[in-house]
Structure formats: C-alpha cells, structure tokens
Amino acid sequence: MITLEECRKCDQSDSLASKKALFNLPEGVIYLDGNSLGAQPKSVVPRMQTVLSQEWATGLVKSWNDANWVTLPLTVGQKIAPLIGAVPESVIATDSTSLNVFKCVAAACALNKGRRKILSEPGNFPTDLYMLDGLEAFMQGDLEVVIKPREELLDAIDEETACVLLTHVHYISAEMWDMKAMTAAAHEKGALMVWDLSHSTGAVPLSLDDCEVDFALGCGYKYLNGGPGAPAFAYINKRHLGSVKQPLSGWFSHKRPFDFVDDFEGAPDIRVMQVGTPVVSAMALLDEALSLWEDVDLKTLREKSLDLTDLFSRLMDDQLTGYGFTAVTPRNRSTRGSHITYRHPDGYAIIQALIDRGVIGDFRAPDHLRFGVTPLYVGYEDIYQAVMILKDIMSTQSYKQDKYTVKNAVT
Ligand SMILES: *Cc1c(COP(=O)(O)O)cnc(C)c1O
C-alpha cells in the first residue's frame, strides 16, 4: 500500500514543485483538468493589464508596430518551437486547432498532388474528423476521407494516400503513437504526415524535425496554459516552407499584406498559415504563459508526469478495486501521454461528486472519467488526496444524489 508519507517525500524531492507558486489556483482545489484548460499563470494578469491600459488605450494603432503586435504570432511560435522539437521558423501561433487541422491537411493534399485519399482513425478527436468531412464535401469528389482502425492503418496507406492525420496522444485513452515509426511508414508509401499535438505539447517531449514530420498543429489552452480559447499553433517542416499553399488565403497569409494588392501571393514562410488579423489580447496571454517554460527540462517533466500517472493507477489498485472502475490508459510508460482514464457506468455522477469535493477532473462520453496530470502544478500528495476522496465518494455512495446527474453543457 502506498502511504501519504511516501507521497510527501516525493514532493520534497521534486525539482518542479516550486513551479506551482507561479499559478493562481484556488485554495482546496486539486486540479486534474489541465489537459482541458490549463491553470492561470500569475504573470498573465499584469501582462493583460499592460495590453489593455498601455498598448491599446495609450498606444492605439501604433502598437501594431511599437508593441510588436504584428509579429506576436511568430514570437509565440518561436517559444513553442523548443517544446515540440522544431526550428523556430517552422512554428506560428494562429487561429484554432480545428482551423489548423483544415489548413494543414489541405496544404498536405496540395503538396501531394495526384493522390486523393486522407487517412485517419475512428475515435480521433471529433473536430479532426468533422474538419476532414467538411474538406471532403467541399472538394466534391476530388478528395476522399478513409477511416481505418489502428490495427489496419499501416496497411491502408497506399499510393493514393495524400496524407495521414493522427492525434499523437489520444484525448480519451492517452495512448501515444510512435511518432517516428508512423511518420516513416507514411513516407515510405509517399504519403505526408500531419500530427495533432493537442494532448502532447507541454506534456511529452517531442522531436518533430527529427521525426521528419510534415505538418503539425496543437492547442494553446491545454498544457500551455494560454487561457480559454487561446490561439492554437501550426508547424510546417522547413523542407516544405516556400512551397506550401493553404486554401484560407487571407491577407495575413500574403507575402506583403500591407501592399494591398489585388493578387494573392502567399508568404514563402510560416506566415502562410495565418488567415486574418491575429487576436492580440489572446496572443499576449499565450506569449506570457509560455515564459514559464524557459527553464523547464522536458525530460524531468516527462518523468514526473509518468510517475504521477503511475501513482494514480497504483493507488486505484490499492484503494478502489471492486468499485467497478476499468482502466483504459496503457500501463506501459512509453505508450501513454499525461492523463489517465477509467470507465465506470456512473462516470458522469462520480465526476460531479468529485468536483463538489474540490477534485476537478472531467467526463468524456459515454462513460469515461479523465484525470490530467500537469507536472508544473500537480504534486504527489495531490494525487493521493484525490484518490482518497474518490474512495470516500464510492464507499459512501455520495455520488448517487440526484444533483450529480444533471447534465451540464460542457462536461
Ligand atoms: C482539444 C482538442 C482540439 C480542440 O480544437 P479547438 O479548435 O480548439 O476547439 C482538437 N483536437 C484535439 C485532438 C484536441 O484534443
């Protein structure tokens, strides 16, 4: 049996423990949902104040130049680059993850002319599949979306496959693809590889350039703590920069937006992934939140993340065997990301009861309880206390109250 004392010892020798003080977290809350909405870094509050009262109120339109608003998407991209193993010029912060799925996949198909299939897997994050459906319908027969389960994916890549779109760490199971092997398998058949890194960025070390990934995109509001609806990012491998075309060619994708010419000429660099005017306030929040990562060693972060999810599953074995939970997340450390998921027929009510007791996880239909581990502000004792509160809820059956079955719009 793992004891509270052991967990406290781990916290004492945790080199990332001091990072928690850099976040605004309410007293008495154990926050296990940073994989859905990252916690608020304290420094974003004064930064927002500066944007509002100095840059906007006083600087007005001059701030596009003077406060470097116009280059923020590139600056933010450069801060994300080391987290994903990319050269700085390959990354830009722009739009939403959904939009970047569309732009990256469309751009990959345009680069791989003559091939008409886009391959993905069932159970991928819904927006990824919906955006592919939208692209397919818009292309009126020129592109076809092919959905194959994991076991059949490799065999399904053929000489008609333009690109493969996969999510690196699965949003429910946390199962993680071998990025290098999968990318190489796509390339071997002449297909391009597009990775959705929403549940990977800031959670697991990544090496996109080394894996020769073609395109990638990911979220700014999950492990990167950019705030609700923060800008997403897009990555283009440097060997493709200059030849990429994406269909949402707005004036910010233009080579020289301020020439105001009629004819579109795409930027020969990562700016081609932009569409229109960047959302400066949100971009500034993400920029500020990313400064937290400057001295974070990703290997240390990854080890702590795996230790915390291991601890969670061992405590579940110790304390909650026989209560009807089924583990979903792989036990193997090399094939999982930074959250841990269980199934339970009363999953929704149990999550609501946990939230009521200050343990914030989330529910994913139809019966998944999901707990995210964010090593910058979650510690070992937090995991211990969370599991003990869960045990209390289960043993007293307090989750069976009617109020816990009322469905919220956002779960
Ligand atoms: C969170 C998430 C998204 C979210 O897309 P938005 O456009 O920000 O709503 C997309 N894909 C994956 C895999 C995600 O986990």
Side-chain angles (χ1 to χ4, degrees):
M1 286 268 202
I2 297 165
T3 63
L4 177 57
E5 287 318 304
E6 288 172 81
C7 295
R8 287 188 171 152
K9 272 212 186 90
C10 291
D11 279 328
Q12 278 159 16
S13 55
D14 170 15
S15 63
L16 290 171
S18 59
K19 290 281 173 193
K20 187 174 182 177
L22 303 175
F23 290 87
N24 283 318
L25 281 163
E27 203 60 44
V29 162
I30 299 174
Y31 193 57
L32 303 180
D33 212 8
N35 56 323
S36 180
L37 174 66
Q40 184 184 84
K42 287 182 177 163
S43 63
V44 303
V45 179
R47 173 67 181 267
M48 198 68 215
Q49 202 57 49
T50 306
V51 171
L52 292 177
S53 53
Q54 292 174 31
E55 297 178 6
W56 181 16
T58 312
L60 293 164
V61 75
K62 293 178 293 174
S63 286
W64 281 107
N65 296 312
D66 298 348
N68 298 311
W69 284 353
V70 75
T71 48
L72 257 182
L74 292 169
T75 323
V76 175
Q78 283 160 14
K79 289 187 181 178
I80 294 171
L83 300 177
I84 62 173
V87 288
E89 61 268 29
S90 277
V91 193
I92 192 160
T94 183
D95 299 320
S96 66
T97 305
S98 303
L99 273 170
N100 290 341
V101 166
F102 186 89
K103 288 182 282 178
C104 286
V105 170
C109 292
L111 274 181
N112 219 349
K113 273 201 189 60
R115 292 172 171 237
R116 54 184 302 276
K117 287 186 190 165
I118 305 166
L119 189 59
S120 192
E121 64 167 334
N124 196 349
F125 192 89
T127 208
D128 296 55
L129 297 176
Y130 302 162
M131 295 310 285
L132 294 187
D133 284 350
L135 179 61
E136 181 187 56
F138 182 70
M139 292 303 289
Q140 302 190 358
D142 287 343
L143 285 177
E144 184 193 350
V145 177
V146 179
I147 303 296
K148 291 282 180 194
R150 259 173 209 218
E151 323 71 82
E152 295 169 33
L153 251 170
L154 280 182
D155 287 339
I157 309 173
D158 60 22
E159 57 291 337
E160 281 193 60
T161 311
C163 73
V164 183
L165 168 72
L166 292 172
T167 298
H168 179 235
V169 171
H170 195 270
Y171 78 107
I172 291 178
S173 71
E175 197 172 339
M176 184 166 81
W177 284 98
D178 180 336
M179 181 181 282
K180 194 163 204 165
M182 189 63 214
T183 305
H187 288 169
E188 206 178 299
K189 300 281 177 64
L192 298 181
M193 191 69 220
V194 185
W195 287 106
D196 184 330
L197 306 175
S198 294
H199 281 276
S200 313
T201 316
V204 299
L206 296 162
S207 45
L208 297 198
D209 286 346
D210 182 52
C211 293
E212 297 183 26
V213 170
D214 300 285
F215 293 86
L217 53 284
C219 272
Y221 51 78
K222 292 173 176 164
Y223 294 91
L224 299 186
N225 312 307
F233 66 87
Y235 159 94
I236 304 176
N237 191 296
K238 58 185 178 303
R239 69 179 175 276
H240 298 311
L241 287 172
S243 34
V244 166
K245 287 187 170 65
Q246 59 86 6
L248 304 182
S249 46
W251 70 310
F252 270 69
S253 352
H254 195 280
K255 197 173 178 180
R256 289 178 304 271
F258 287 86
D259 277 7
F260 292 101
V261 292
D262 285 354
D263 294 327
F264 182 78
E265 201 183 336
D269 50 61
I270 191 68
R271 291 178 304 138
V272 75
M273 294 311 273
Q274 294 189 106
V275 179
T277 310
V279 183
V280 170
S281 50
M283 205 60 83
L285 291 181
L286 178 57
D287 181 50
E288 190 61 46
L290 283 162
S291 355
L292 278 172
W293 293 90
E294 274 161 20
D295 60 349
V296 173
D297 173 51
L298 291 178
K299 275 210 188 92
T300 308
L301 179 99
R302 171 71 170 153
E303 283 305 304
K304 180 177 172 188
S305 149
L306 287 169
D307 289 348
L308 290 175
T309 44
D310 270 343
L311 175 64
F312 198 111
S313 71
R314 287 167 61 203
L315 285 165
M316 287 293 286
D317 292 346
D318 284 357
Q319 308 287 346
L320 282 132
T321 300
Y323 282 103
F325 292 97
T326 312
V328 169
T329 303
R331 286 248 163 170
N332 183 338
R333 283 166 76 98
S334 63
T335 58
R336 67 168 199 260
S338 197
H339 62 272
I340 183 159
T341 301
Y342 291 84
R343 307 183 74 151
H344 193 288
D346 295 315
Y348 185 79
I350 296 168
I351 284 289
Q352 304 319 307
L354 275 171
I355 293 173
D356 229 9
R357 298 277 301 273
V359 178
I360 305 183
D362 64 21
F363 173 78
R364 287 293 173 265
D367 58 359
H368 298 100
L369 300 93
R370 193 173 67 154
F371 303 99
V373 153
T374 44
L376 296 186
Y377 52 84
V378 172
Y380 296 82
E381 181 174 346
D382 293 329
I383 300 293
Y384 184 87
Q385 302 294 3
V387 174
M388 294 317 276
I389 291 170
L390 177 59
K391 184 181 184 176
D392 186 63
I393 286 168
M394 298 311 293
S395 62
T396 60
Q397 304 201 341
S398 69
Y399 69 89
K400 289 196 171 162
Q401 299 167 63
D402 285 349
K403 61 175 177 179
Y404 294 141
T405 58
V406 179
K407 283 270 187 317
N408 292 316
V410 174
T411 62

